[in-house]
Amino acid sequence: MSTRTEDLDRADDLRAEIDRTGYYPEVVADCVASAVAGEKVSSFFLHHEPTFDRDEVRRHLSVLVLTPTRLILAHTDEHAGDDLLPEPYTSTSTEAVRIDSVNSVVVTRMITNPTKGSSKPAEVVMTIGWGGVNRVDLEPAGCSDPNCDADHGYTGVLTPDDFSLRVSAAADGHDSVDRLLSFAESLSARTHSR
């Protein structure tokens, strides 16, 4: 009897990966566990990246978790002290999205030297849409008459853009690119089966 991937609970693997980042593991693990709320962890992906704030480098960690019913996104940032909180602190936001709300998973693979045949992607961008945020690209509308100077208003494209993540082999390693592709495949399969 085979075990389906979504039947496995990978919560221990997720915790080990959070610990491995070394980025406030207790804080991140606590926030992620709270958002997961006891559900099984079917799949996950972590992306640790620096952000630049003037002359300081700060770190950011994104944790994506797929459960049997939800997609969890957690983002943790570190901050220098300020007027309200004089000591350095972290902020973590989590979002839980019902799987049946996810309406698009877009995966863009950048392959170098494609004429040489199949090779590993040098970069992957995954964009997930569930209708919470849309991007509008507008441009002036026109007509086919080259002498027309009438105002035709605008035309545009509305694109779901709730969450986007870019991973490159050069910055993050080929393993990270492979893990993002695996997560995207798991998420795509779950949106297909509803």
Side-chain angles (χ1 to χ4, degrees):
M1 180 169 122
S2 67
T3 304
R4 296 182 326 174
T5 305
E6 62 266 18
D7 292 337
L8 299 175
D9 188 356
R10 300 196 55 213
D12 291 341
D13 296 335
L14 171 59
R15 177 57 200 247
E17 191 69 22
I18 290 170
D19 288 344
R20 201 172 358 270
T21 69
Y23 181 74
Y24 308 109
E26 295 298 324
V27 172
V28 172
D30 183 53
C31 292
V32 170
S34 178
V36 170
E39 275 195 277
K40 288 181 183 177
V41 173
S42 304
S43 183
F44 63 88
F45 180 78
L46 277 71
H47 188 242
H48 191 206
E49 63 184 320
T51 57
F52 300 94
D53 182 15
R54 295 187 191 116
D55 58 346
E56 292 184 50
V57 177
R58 300 194 196 287
R59 297 177 295 168
H60 174 86
L61 181 66
S62 297
V63 180
L64 288 71
V65 179
L66 186 58
T67 74
T69 63
R70 298 174 300 146
L71 168 65
I72 309 292
L73 297 103
H75 302 281
T76 302
D77 291 288
E78 62 183 354
H79 307 276
D82 55 32
D83 293 340
L84 293 174
L85 296 169
E87 295 183 39
Y89 63 96
T90 61
S91 62
T92 301
S93 61
T94 58
E95 183 170 6
V97 179
R98 287 188 344 256
I99 286 296
D100 61 0
S101 295
V102 175
N103 53 35
S104 68
V105 179
V106 180
V107 178
T108 305
R109 296 176 171 118
M110 279 59 89
I111 307 288
T112 58
N113 297 316
T115 57
K116 292 184 177 180
S118 181
S119 64
K120 288 184 169 265
E123 186 173 303
V124 172
V125 178
M126 178 183 68
T127 302
I128 306 168
W130 56 87
V133 177
N134 288 301
R135 182 183 68 232
V136 178
D137 293 320
L138 292 176
E139 61 183 39
C143 68
S144 60
D145 181 357
N147 298 320
C148 179
D149 61 355
D151 182 358
H152 294 284
Y154 288 88
T155 185
V157 176
L158 185 64
T159 308
D161 193 17
D162 292 300
F163 177 77
S164 193
L165 182 66
R166 175 185 168 264
V167 176
S168 74
D172 306 298
H174 282 289
D175 287 346
S176 189
V177 170
D178 291 343
R179 286 193 309 273
L180 181 58
L181 286 170
S182 177
F183 181 85
E185 185 177 329
S186 295
L187 180 57
S188 291
R190 295 290 305 286
T191 58
H192 175 274
S193 62
R194 50 184 167 154

